[in-house]
Amino acid sequence: MWKAEWWIQRQDHVFEKTLHFTDLAEGNGLSGSIFTKFSTYFGGDDFNAQYVTKGFNEPNAAAKGDMVEKTIQDAIPVQAIWSLTAGNNAADWERAAALYIGAESGDAPYGRANLRAGNFGTTETNGEATANVNIVAAFNGTPSATKRATIEKNLKITYAQATLRYAFFVDNALTASPPNTTGAFEYRAEGDAFYRIIAPFVEEVDAGCDAFISAVLSVDAGTSFPSPEGSFFCKAKLCIPAALSITPEELGTLSGSENSCEGTNNAPFVTPVGSFTVSSNVANEAAVSIASGFITDLVEDSEFAEAQDVYASSSTLNALGLGQGLSGPAFNQARAYFGGAANFNAEYLSTAFTSGTSSAEQRMEMIEKTVSDAIPVQGILSYANAGDWDKAGALYIGNNPAASPYGRANARGNNYGTRTVNGEAKVNENVLQALNSRNYNNLLKGIQTIYTQASLRYAYRMDTSLDVDNSTTAFNGVRTEGQAFYRIIGPMLRDVDSACDSLMRSIYGLGSTTLPSRADGKYYCRALACMPSAFRISSTELGILEGTQGYCAGSAGSGQPGSYLTSPVGNIGPLSSNVVTQADVSATVATMKTSIGNGQYAAAQAAFNGNTYLKVGPFI
């Protein structure tokens, strides 16, 4: 965001000595309708030179660097490009192209377009900005009005993206706890430098939008911001693209801002499987996933102290972790399960943030799954039980669905093959329906399904770590990840099947690090035999974990006494007898069908011969 003081001083010297550059900044030789529009808006031809001088005189070093850098790399060249392409002179268009791409494209508007396209997901398959593809194509061949319009439109896209990005950063700085007003001012300066490049176009169509954006981003206002703080990005996103005739597809979505405007002004949370409309302001709850995503990024780089600082400053996430204001059956179950204190999630996090005994990977998994899953789930169920469905939905979907239970459901749906035709998890569709119909039991069932899938997956990965990888490090990592998931539903499981909970606690080291013997069956198979049936999750709802078809054939646990046979129309059990052999028939059939479908008849025959019961009986 800023350059060192020596860099700024050097640019001051370079700027004064580069005559052609200063000519462009002064507006010397520039013309055309766009240049006239800008001169009128800013009150003179030398508006860029004036802003550079203003930047060099700015006391804040970060703001100084941003004001100067964005003017010399962006505002001055862009203004010259518009002037040079105002007519159809081929030589002028080549000069404009040279300014756009430059000898060092990373230090030209071309480079800026790539940066912003990366932020907004508007890149082509080669990683280059769509705006760059369009502009370069327009510079080729004979100049024309159509090509001129293409260049203008795509420049507007890049700098609309840039302006919105810094409005978003200003919001985040001002809504931090405590507010970071210095950081907000520095982001304001960077946004101001970008917005100047498109401001006259916005003002021409929507003077109210221009006045608002200027009030938010003008460095002249110092650290004083309009009210309400935290809503600038959403308002800017509504008016800037509209004023510039930029479609949502052309603009893209700023990374980290997904659904950031939902939860305010009755805007719905929109997902591929349905929408959820709120009637109250739940921006704080919707922003929990922004914080959890940021924390995840930090711990993945082993920046635990920084992640702890973000958690501490994220007031809503922190309060939920402490159990503040939470109640209801799920919360009471969890409190009792973890010893009676309301802050059980905060305590678990504290161990992960400060632990010197666990590996970095283990600490990462504990933190990620607690901030993105365990803490939001407690809030979701507590708020839904209390009738505050707006907050429940905001926590489930979030501004950043990838770091919320919604995103976890999609990840597990991918693992278990339980996705809808559009690739989203079926359980997300069910939960959206439950949220909209205010059905607590169906919401609870969806939560139980997601985290049963997660708990089973890591039991399987523990098995494969022992059987295939034979890696203690890998085993410890997946065990801890499974533990972080299981503790979300362990309290619920204990109330319906204490024996299953006891098994899962021993598998995942909750209360004891002693592992159960695998002589009684693989961990995954034993868990599969009791967890879904305890929650009445059918085989269709659960799906089949990738790589596990036939895995539990002959394993203790599947079809054991006390387990259930599950189906979409109901479950049978608890069983009083051992029907493992009979249950394994379908697993062998599944294996054979897969082999036959792949033309592997020898493998199918081997599977058939390997199941003596299927081949020769007896069937009584």
Side-chain angles (χ1 to χ4, degrees):
M1 189 171 67
W2 63 279
K3 302 295 184 186
E5 193 69 26
W6 68 266
W7 180 92
I8 298 167
Q9 293 171 354
R10 181 175 184 274
Q11 298 314 303
D12 195 352
H13 176 75
V14 171
F15 183 80
E16 295 298 332
K17 295 297 183 181
T18 308
L19 295 179
H20 183 60
F21 209 25
T22 54
D23 276 345
L24 293 179
E26 294 285 350
N28 296 334
L30 302 186
S31 61
S33 60
I34 292 178
F35 182 69
T36 299
K37 187 193 309 288
F38 275 68
S39 296
T40 301
Y41 180 90
F42 290 110
D45 290 356
D46 63 344
F47 52 90
N48 277 324
Q50 292 288 341
Y51 196 78
V52 169
T53 300
K54 184 177 183 178
F56 283 133
N57 292 332
E58 169 56 43
N60 182 298
K64 183 198 302 279
D66 289 325
M67 293 169 70
V68 174
E69 178 185 321
K70 275 61 183 183
T71 308
I72 62 175
Q73 178 177 337
D74 302 270
I76 294 173
V78 166
Q79 201 55 232
I81 289 167
W82 276 324
S83 179
L84 289 165
T85 56
N88 292 327
N89 183 286
D92 283 343
W93 277 58
E94 288 182 353
R95 295 184 182 96
L99 283 168
Y100 185 76
I101 299 173
E104 300 289 342
S105 62
D107 295 315
Y110 184 100
R112 187 72 65 201
N114 274 342
L115 290 174
R116 295 298 82 90
N119 302 138
F120 280 76
T122 53
T123 56
E124 300 294 312
T125 54
N126 60 1
E128 296 294 292
T130 299
N132 280 336
V133 172
N134 294 338
I135 289 175
V136 170
F139 272 126
N140 277 294
T142 304
S144 69
T146 299
K147 291 181 176 181
R148 183 181 306 111
T150 297
I151 294 168
E152 180 182 325
K153 174 67 174 288
N154 284 274
L155 284 169
K156 289 177 180 177
I157 290 171
T158 294
Y159 294 102
Q161 291 173 331
T163 302
L164 290 170
R165 183 170 185 254
Y166 287 92
F168 183 70
F169 288 164
V170 169
D171 277 343
N172 289 345
L174 291 176
T175 55
S177 180
N180 181 3
T181 53
T182 299
F185 173 74
E186 291 167 359
Y187 289 132
R188 161 180 263 176
E190 198 158 8
D192 188 30
F194 281 131
Y195 179 60
R196 297 175 67 256
I197 302 172
I198 55 171
F201 295 112
V202 174
E203 191 269 347
E204 185 177 45
V205 177
D206 189 343
C209 179
D210 173 60
F212 171 73
I213 302 301
S214 297
V216 170
L217 296 179
S218 174
V219 293
D220 293 336
T223 56
S224 175
F225 290 87
S227 296
E229 295 174 354
S231 63
F232 303 152
F233 170 75
C234 297
K235 292 181 179 178
K237 186 180 175 185
L238 285 173
C239 71
I240 291 177
L244 302 179
S245 299
I246 297 172
T247 68
E249 293 75 19
E250 291 170 334
L251 181 70
T253 302
L254 176 61
S255 177
S257 77
E258 296 84 353
N259 286 335
S260 62
C261 299
E262 285 73 3
T264 59
N265 303 323
N266 297 331
F269 291 86
V270 179
T271 80
V273 293
S275 62
F276 178 70
T277 300
V278 299
S279 57
S280 57
N281 190 326
V282 291
N284 289 337
E285 288 73 25
V288 162
S289 56
I290 295 290
S292 60
F294 190 13
I295 291 168
T296 295
D297 289 343
L298 290 170
V299 297
E300 286 181 350
D301 291 332
S302 296
E303 296 177 4
F304 295 105
E306 293 85 349
Q308 188 171 17
D309 288 342
V310 173
Y311 173 72
S313 67
S314 303
S315 55
T316 303
L317 178 61
N318 190 274
L320 291 173
L322 292 169
Q324 293 176 358
L326 301 185
S327 61
F331 183 66
N332 292 335
Q333 283 174 333
R335 284 188 66 167
Y337 191 84
F338 293 112
N343 66 339
F344 52 89
N345 277 322
E347 288 294 321
Y348 189 71
L349 271 183
S350 178
T351 300
F353 279 131
T354 60
S355 175
T357 57
S358 299
S359 69
E361 180 186 2
Q362 289 174 295
R363 295 170 67 189
M364 175 188 74
E365 301 298 356
M366 293 168 69
I367 294 166
E368 284 187 16
K369 276 60 183 181
T370 304
V371 298
S372 293
D373 300 271
I375 292 176
V377 163
Q378 285 300 325
I380 291 164
L381 295 177
S382 175
Y383 290 137
N385 179 71
D388 196 338
W389 289 89
D390 285 0
K391 287 184 178 180
L395 284 170
Y396 185 82
I397 303 168
N399 289 345
N400 180 17
S404 73
Y406 183 97
R408 189 70 64 199
N410 276 341
R412 294 296 84 88
N414 185 56
N415 300 139
Y416 281 80
T418 51
R419 294 173 296 175
T420 61
V421 292
N422 59 8
E424 299 289 294
K426 176 64 178 177
V427 71
N428 275 334
E429 186 176 276
N430 296 340
V431 168
L432 261 292
Q433 291 172 358
L435 289 169
N436 282 308
S437 63
R438 278 39 175 173
N439 190 315
Y440 179 86
N441 289 334
N442 287 352
L443 170 64
L444 177 63
K445 177 70 172 290
I447 295 291
Q448 290 170 338
T449 300
I450 296 165
Y451 295 102
T452 293
Q453 289 177 326
S455 299
L456 292 173
R457 181 171 185 254
Y458 288 91
Y460 173 65
R461 291 188 63 186
M462 286 172 64
D463 284 322
T464 56
S465 290
L466 294 171
D467 294 335
V468 180
D469 302 328
N470 195 27
S471 167
T472 302
T473 301
F475 177 85
N476 289 338
V478 296
R479 189 186 194 196
T480 301
E481 192 164 3
Q483 177 193 94
F485 280 130
Y486 178 69
R487 58 189 299 279
I488 299 171
I489 55 171
M492 306 174 200
L493 183 61
R494 186 174 70 173
D495 275 15
V496 294
D497 190 337
S498 60
C500 186
D501 170 60
S502 180
L503 168 68
M504 299 307 298
R505 284 174 66 91
S506 63
I507 288 174
Y508 284 129
L510 279 171
S512 172
T513 57
T514 302
L515 281 161
S517 171
R518 290 211 308 158
D520 297 325
K522 301 166 185 173
Y523 298 141
Y524 166 74
C525 300
R526 295 179 68 188
L528 181 65
C530 69
M531 283 191 71
S533 57
F535 289 130
R536 301 295 192 267
I537 298 170
S538 71
S539 57
T540 300
E541 291 168 329
L542 181 70
I544 299 174
L545 178 61
E546 54 196 352
T548 64
Q549 264 197 338
Y551 184 74
C552 293
S555 170
S558 178
Q560 289 278 18
S563 67
Y564 291 78
L565 300 174
T566 62
S567 79
V569 296
N571 302 323
I572 300 172
L575 301 172
S576 59
S577 57
N578 188 323
V579 295
V580 171
T581 301
Q582 288 77 17
D584 281 350
V585 167
S586 61
T588 301
V589 170
T591 300
M592 292 177 64
K593 287 171 68 176
T594 299
S595 297
I596 291 169
N598 293 330
Q600 299 169 339
Y601 294 98
Q605 186 173 15
F608 178 71
N609 291 335
N611 191 318
T612 305
Y613 179 77
L614 177 62
K615 183 178 181 182
V616 299
F619 298 106
I620 57 173

